[in-house]
Amino acid sequence: MRIVECFMLEQVVELQEITKTYTLGSNNIDALKSVSFSIEKGDFLTIMGASGSGKSTLLNLIGCLDTPTKGVVKINGVDISKLNDEQLTAIRRSSIGFIFQHFNLVPTLTALENIELPMVFSKIPELTREKRALSLLGQVNLDLKYASHKPYELSGGQQQRVAIARALANSPSLLLADEPTGNLDTKTGREIMELLNYLNLNGTTVVVVTHDPALLDYSNRNIRLIDGEISNENS
C-alpha cells in the first residue's frame, strides 16, 4: 500500500454524521447511517463493500449528485446541503470529475468532442477547448489518431482513457471513479489504475469505489462499508 507524505493537510471532502434515507412505499430505508470521515487533498481513497452496502449512495453525496437526509457534507469547505440544484451543478462542473464503469461516452461524438463536452457546458472558447482536449489525450496516453474516432471504434481501455480525459477537462480538485476497471480485462484494468495513480501523484485527489481488493495497492486509505456503516478504515 502506498504511503503519502502530507505536511499540510487540506480537506477536500468532509462528512459529518451523514444519514441518507429513502422511502420505498411505507418503508424508510437507511442507505447510510451516521457516516463520518474526511478526504484530504492528495488522498487516494478506495471505498469497498458488497452490493447494497451504501457505496454508490456515498459516491453520489461526495459528487454533489444528491444531498443527505441528515448531517453535513462539505466540498472544499462548502456545505452542499444548503445549495440549490444550480449551485450543486456549478460545484460539479468546477471541482469534480466523474469516471464510470460503463464509460458513459456520448456515442454520436468523437473522442475529442467527448473530452470537450464539459468545457462546452462551462462556456470555454472553442479553440481553448480543442487545445486542452488534445493535450488531455496525450496525458492519458491515447494516440492522437484516435481523436476523430467514435466510442464504438475504440476498445474498452481506450474508451476509459477518453472518459478519464473528459473527467479532467475542467481541472477538478477531486476525481471520483465508480468501478473504473469493472468492464476491463486484468491487463487493461491495471493500466487504468496506473494512470489514476499517476494523476494522484501529480496532485489530483482520487476516490475509487470498487469490489476488487487488488485496487487497494494503489490507495493510501481504504474505507469498508457494511449495511450503510463504516466497518473499518485503514491507512
Side-chain angles (χ1 to χ4, degrees):
M1 187 172 291
R2 294 190 312 108
I3 297 175
V4 173
E5 294 184 1
C6 192
F7 298 97
M8 188 173 183
L9 297 179
E10 178 183 338
Q11 288 186 344
V12 178
V13 178
E14 183 181 1
L15 291 88
Q16 302 172 1
E17 296 293 322
I18 293 303
T19 294
K20 182 63 183 182
T21 303
Y22 296 102
T23 300
L24 297 176
S26 59
N27 297 318
N28 290 328
I29 307 298
D30 289 334
L32 294 173
K33 307 168 188 175
S34 299
V35 171
S36 297
F37 66 91
S38 61
I39 302 171
E40 313 292 345
K41 183 177 181 181
D43 270 346
F44 193 129
L45 173 69
T46 47
I47 301 173
M48 300 191 71
S51 296
S53 62
K55 301 190 307 300
S56 295
T57 299
L58 183 56
L59 200 68
N60 287 343
L61 291 172
I62 295 173
C64 294
L65 294 170
D66 203 351
T67 54
T69 305
K70 297 178 183 177
V72 174
V73 177
K74 292 184 179 181
I75 306 297
N76 293 322
V78 177
D79 182 356
I80 69 167
S81 64
K82 302 180 184 300
L83 304 182
N84 58 34
D85 288 343
E86 184 177 347
Q87 291 168 321
L88 289 171
T89 298
I91 287 185
R92 289 196 300 271
R93 286 179 181 170
S94 64
S95 302
I96 304 171
F98 294 89
I99 304 167
F100 304 96
Q101 178 178 351
H102 299 288
F103 318 132
N104 288 14
L105 300 176
V106 180
T108 57
L109 300 182
T110 66
L112 197 69
E113 290 167 340
N114 267 284
I115 298 169
E116 289 186 55
L117 196 56
M119 294 183 277
V120 172
F121 293 137
S122 295
K123 299 181 180 180
I124 294 174
E126 182 177 358
L127 290 178
T128 303
R129 294 197 311 260
E130 183 176 352
K131 182 178 179 181
R132 176 155 175 77
L134 288 169
S135 174
L136 285 168
L137 275 176
Q139 190 173 341
V140 299
N141 300 316
L142 194 61
D143 197 295
L144 295 183
K145 70 181 180 182
Y146 295 110
S148 60
H149 284 47
K150 300 287 181 63
Y152 70 87
E153 299 174 299
L154 302 171
S155 69
Q158 290 167 340
Q159 289 186 62
Q160 194 61 293
R161 290 178 187 277
V162 172
I164 292 172
R166 179 186 59 187
L168 296 171
N170 286 330
S171 302
S173 58
L174 179 62
L175 195 58
L176 305 181
D178 188 2
E179 299 284 0
T181 63
N183 278 342
L184 306 174
D185 61 76
T186 301
K187 179 178 180 294
T188 305
R190 188 181 304 114
E191 291 172 352
I192 292 301
M193 290 307 299
E194 291 291 348
L195 175 56
L196 293 180
N197 183 59
Y198 170 80
L199 294 169
N200 175 249
L201 292 175
N202 282 273
T204 303
T205 303
V206 178
V207 178
V208 173
V209 164
T210 182
H211 287 93
D212 187 354
L215 271 55
L216 297 180
D217 291 340
Y218 298 92
S219 65
N220 69 297
R221 294 177 59 200
N222 174 57
I223 287 175
R224 188 175 297 273
L225 292 176
I226 295 179
D227 296 332
E229 299 179 286
I230 294 178
S231 65
N232 68 291
E233 179 176 352
N234 298 316
S235 298

